[in-house]
Each structure stands twice: as structure tokens, then as C-alpha cells.
Amino acid sequence: MKIIHAKDYADMSRKAANIISAQVILKPDCILGLATGSTPIGAYQQLIKWYEKGDVDFAQVSTYNLDEYRGLSHDDPQSYHFFMRDNFFNHINIDLSRTHVPDGSNTDAAAACAEYDRMVAAAGYPDLQLLGIGNNGHIGFNEPDDHFSAGTHCVDLTESTIEANSRLFDNIDDVPRQAYTMGVQTIMYARMIVIAASGEKKAQAVRDMCFGPVTPSCPASILQLHTNCVVVADEAALSLCPEA
């Protein structure tokens, strides 16, 4: 696990975007695993700027997102389908038919998850997987548990995750209580993982991820075992790390 130090959120975003753009330039038809939430928005904005300058071309790129809320249609403004179009896809030259997000509108959880697993496996898994980390150490929507998950599955969101995500909704009661998420095993199949973290609220989770025991009580800790994992974090997020 390599740790890249950033000064602040803007610096973290540029450094993460640098790694992603390098992947696309080196392999124009690469597969990117993408994340949602507030953490990656800055990286997406930087990539959009570089695309507009002609520095990076997404025409042949395919993407697979980590997760989606269960029960939301693709056009729901709170869905991750909408999030990705609004924050990234609509501003670059990616072919939307090459973009994939779990189908939250399919209330048959077993069918929706099995189909997404099939698609990700058929594609050959991401060349680069971008992750954020939750305050409780979750990656995707893989919450702390007594075991590491395998494939895509339906999860009950913890109260801490619901509270953290409520800032994006009008009311905390509007936050879905379930989501479909890639499993930890699926995430680990990516050939490279970039995990971005910013802010003091993430400091304990980042410390546990990088320096704590590998345990499903901190799902991100499994990344210590990945052969090509890069942590891009700012000073506040690294403030509790002994070697930061």
C-alpha cells in the first residue's frame, strides 16, 4: 500500500485525477471502476478540465460504478446513475452505452446483483478502481461486518452511513435504507486501486485502513493485501497515521 500525501482536498483531487488520466492515456480502452459521494467530485472536475483542453480522451473507456441505492430509478436526482451523468459523464466524450451502474430500479435484489456481477466479470474487472472511504471504514457500501463480502449484494445501510449521506437529501427520512454494492472480493479483483480520503472525519478510518489489523470490522483494511493499492489523502485525513 503506497500513501501519497496531499495538502488539502484540491491537491488530493488533482493527484487522484493524475493517476486516473495516466491510466486512460496509457490504455485508451481501459476499464475504470468509479465511485460516488463528495470525495471524488474534485477529481472528476479536474478530469473534465483536462478533457476540455484535449489532454485526455474517454471515447473508448468503459466504466463500472461501485454501487446504487435500491429502489431509485435511473433518472431520480438522488440516484448514482444521475450523479455520474451530472458530475462527470455529461461533460466528457464517453459513450454512455459503455457506462454501467447497478440497477437500483430492479427491486429483485438477487437478479440485479447477479446481473451486475456477470457484467463486471465479462468485462474482465477494472484496470483501475477508484474508491472513497466511509467514516466507519466502509468501501462501496460494504459496511463493517463479521466477514468480508464476495460479489455484488444488497446491504442494509448503517445509521452512520445514512446520516453521512443525508446531506445530499432534503430529509434524512428520504435516504434509502438499502443499496446494491460490489463486494469486497470484486473490488480486490481490480488491477489497481486508488482510494481517496479528505478531512479530519476520515482520519480514524484512514489510520485503521493503513495501519490497523485486516478485519471486516474495517472493510477498507483488506486493501493492505492488494498488490497495487495507492492511498491519496490530505493532511487532515492522515493526521492520525503514525508515519504521516
Side-chain angles (χ1 to χ4, degrees):
M1 181 177 279
K2 178 180 179 181
I3 299 176
I4 295 178
H5 295 239
K7 181 179 180 181
D8 51 24
Y9 177 80
D11 190 33
M12 179 211 72
S13 298
R14 284 192 298 271
K15 284 178 165 63
N18 268 327
I19 299 171
I20 297 168
S21 64
Q23 173 66 73
V24 176
I25 292 167
L26 289 170
K27 186 180 180 183
D29 62 346
C30 67
I31 299 169
L32 298 179
L34 298 180
T36 53
S38 57
T39 299
I41 289 177
Y44 294 152
Q45 291 173 341
Q46 183 65 69
L47 290 168
I48 291 166
K49 290 178 182 177
W50 287 334
Y51 160 71
E52 291 172 343
K53 288 175 60 181
D55 293 339
V56 61
D57 181 1
F58 295 93
Q60 299 179 60
V61 171
S62 298
T63 67
Y64 290 83
N65 264 74
L66 283 166
D67 43 34
E68 177 62 285
Y69 288 117
R70 185 184 188 190
L72 298 188
S73 70
H74 298 178
D75 294 325
D76 190 303
Q78 305 298 345
S79 74
Y80 288 158
H81 278 83
F82 188 95
F83 176 99
M84 291 306 304
R85 294 194 302 269
D86 191 46
N87 287 285
F88 193 34
F89 296 154
N90 287 350
H91 308 284
I92 58 175
N93 66 329
I94 198 165
D95 181 348
L96 287 177
S97 69
R98 294 176 179 266
T99 66
H100 308 84
V101 182
D103 186 4
S105 67
N106 185 352
T107 56
D108 184 338
C113 294
E115 174 60 14
Y116 202 63
D117 268 345
R118 184 197 65 76
M119 290 194 300
V120 176
Y125 300 101
D127 294 294
L128 184 154
Q129 176 67 60
L130 176 65
L131 297 174
I133 182 171
N135 295 346
N136 62 1
H138 75 238
I139 49 176
F141 274 130
N142 293 284
E143 303 281 14
D145 206 338
D146 59 3
H147 65 282
F148 289 110
S149 58
T152 304
H153 57 290
C154 182
V155 296
D156 296 322
L157 303 183
T158 64
E159 287 303 316
S160 65
T161 297
I162 291 168
E163 183 177 352
N165 290 0
S166 65
R167 69 190 185 283
L168 304 174
F169 291 79
D170 293 334
N171 189 297
I172 193 170
D173 293 332
D174 296 333
V175 183
R177 266 46 185 176
Q178 291 184 314
Y180 300 148
T181 184
M182 278 190 193
V184 170
Q185 183 180 65
T186 305
I187 291 169
M188 292 289 283
Y189 284 147
R191 284 168 281 286
M192 180 181 189
I193 292 176
V194 176
I195 183 160
S198 174
E200 187 178 355
K201 290 183 178 179
K202 301 295 178 71
Q204 186 62 54
V206 170
R207 186 189 190 285
D208 292 344
M209 170 179 66
C210 297
F211 299 100
V214 175
T215 170
S217 64
C218 176
S221 65
I222 193 72
L223 300 178
Q224 294 178 38
L225 305 182
H226 197 276
T227 57
N228 190 14
C229 179
V230 178
V231 179
V232 185
D234 64 15
E235 292 177 356
L238 291 169
S239 60
L240 298 181
C241 291
E243 298 178 16

